[in-house]
Amino acid sequence: MRLLFLGDMVGKTGRTAVWNRLPGLISDLKLDFVVVNGENAAGGFGITEDIFLETINAGADVVTTGNHVWDQKEAVAFAGRHDQFLRPANYPQGTPGRGSGLFYARNGARVLVANVMGRVFMHPELDDPFKSAEAILDACPLKEQADAIIFDFHAEATSEKQCFGHFVDGRASFVVGTHTHVPTADHQILNGGTAYLSDAGMCGDYDSSLGMDKEEPLNRFISKMPKGRMEAATGPATICGVGVEISDATGLAEKIAPLRLGPRLAETIPEFWR
């Protein structure tokens, strides 16, 4: 199975780049399943229902989120209406929406996608992500109820991300970190066969501070005083993500490589998809 994961869409420039490029990527690369993190898609803060639906219409099978999931008030209302919209699974019981779901890929495979949020340097501090992941895996084990299992681990600390990857190694197909908006170079297949990447990066303008116009965050670092609102940068976007090939026989990863398309970072498409 060919899986593509795209990192956090930031603002209009990021989401538009994904909407424009994703249909062609699905066709050209013969992708079976696509997950996109959309938590910063609405001006850099949260996501609206219209943006979610447009991302699904562009070809995403699931949209994940993170700590900014409720920044747009309407998300509380629409989260429960769409199975393909995921918020972190370790929110307390009774939180609107869902944190995981079983979906069907284009090749007919059953794909479990789970969105879990870390706790180190993160706000709000949610329930234990490791216990949450254990419960998800117990309810839908790999190669029993699911042919592939994907975790979007939305977290700040790379140590927590790496430990989470080792925790589910051999029981999940792929663990990808989101939240920091900076793509890492540690894509690998862990000893048990789980593909891993500490952070997929963002889909947004890299002439920025994490996708936001750089003037205000720079001012705050220098003066310690806000001058105005943080605004999403509006320059040309680079799409950042990662491609994974998953064995139909075992549900574990066989190949992993970054995908980057745009003006700022060196462009790359996984060699095994060329």
Side-chain angles (χ1 to χ4, degrees):
M1 184 179 76
R2 291 185 169 192
L3 161 73
L4 177 66
F5 184 97
L6 296 182
D8 311 37
M9 296 188 296
V10 181
K12 184 176 181 180
T13 187
R15 68 181 188 251
T16 302
V18 171
W19 297 345
N20 289 342
R21 295 297 297 269
L22 186 53
L25 289 172
I26 293 170
S27 175
D28 295 343
L29 304 179
K30 298 180 174 59
L31 300 176
D32 296 305
F33 201 80
V34 177
V35 181
V36 179
N37 186 293
E39 73 143 8
N40 300 115
F45 300 96
I47 185 170
T48 66
E49 187 170 22
D50 285 345
I51 292 172
F52 161 74
L53 291 172
E54 193 71 31
T55 306
I56 294 296
N57 289 338
D61 296 286
V62 177
V63 174
T64 54
T65 55
N67 59 303
H68 288 289
V69 60
W70 310 124
D71 283 6
Q72 300 294 321
K73 292 182 180 179
E74 67 179 84
V76 175
F78 79 75
R81 292 201 291 264
H82 302 287
D83 291 346
Q84 293 164 286
F85 179 80
L86 299 183
R87 46 82 176 161
N90 48 332
Y91 265 99
Q93 188 174 3
T95 301
R98 59 200 304 218
S100 63
L102 192 64
F103 307 92
Y104 285 93
R106 292 168 185 81
N107 65 347
R110 301 164 300 172
V111 183
L112 174 67
V113 183
N115 193 183
V116 179
M117 196 166 103
R119 298 202 290 187
V120 179
F121 308 130
M122 295 293 286
H123 179 79
E125 186 173 307
L126 302 184
D127 297 339
D128 186 340
F130 294 87
K131 288 183 179 179
S132 295
E134 192 71 51
I136 291 167
L137 292 170
D138 285 347
C140 193
L142 185 64
K143 296 313 295 180
E144 292 183 25
Q145 276 78 43
D147 299 306
I149 297 177
I150 302 158
F151 280 95
D152 174 348
F153 191 64
H154 197 80
E156 181 77 24
T158 50
S159 57
E160 188 180 22
K161 291 178 177 183
Q162 289 178 344
C163 284
F164 185 86
H166 293 304
F167 180 70
V168 302
D169 186 22
R171 299 186 290 163
S173 311
F174 178 37
V175 173
V176 58
T178 55
H179 178 66
T180 69
H181 294 197
V182 178
T184 56
D186 61 335
H187 54 280
Q188 60 183 294
I189 297 177
L190 302 177
N191 292 339
T194 297
Y196 173 84
L197 177 66
S198 288
D199 204 285
M202 70 173 180
C203 298
D205 178 7
Y206 276 82
D207 183 19
S208 67
S209 175
L210 306 183
M212 307 305 286
D213 184 276
K214 56 196 174 190
E215 295 306 321
E216 179 56 20
L218 180 59
N219 161 68
R220 294 186 189 188
F221 278 115
I222 295 170
S223 71
K224 311 305 179 187
M225 293 287 291
K227 285 185 177 178
R229 289 169 50 91
M230 294 278 197
E231 302 283 351
T234 58
T238 297
I239 293 174
C240 281
V242 57
V244 179
E245 283 204 359
I246 297 170
S247 168
D248 294 335
T250 67
L252 296 172
E254 295 181 324
K255 300 173 184 177
I256 179 172
L259 180 142
R260 293 173 196 147
L261 300 171
R264 282 273 163 180
L265 307 183
E267 290 203 350
T268 178
I269 294 178
E271 288 291 335
F272 49 85
W273 286 351
R274 289 185 184 275

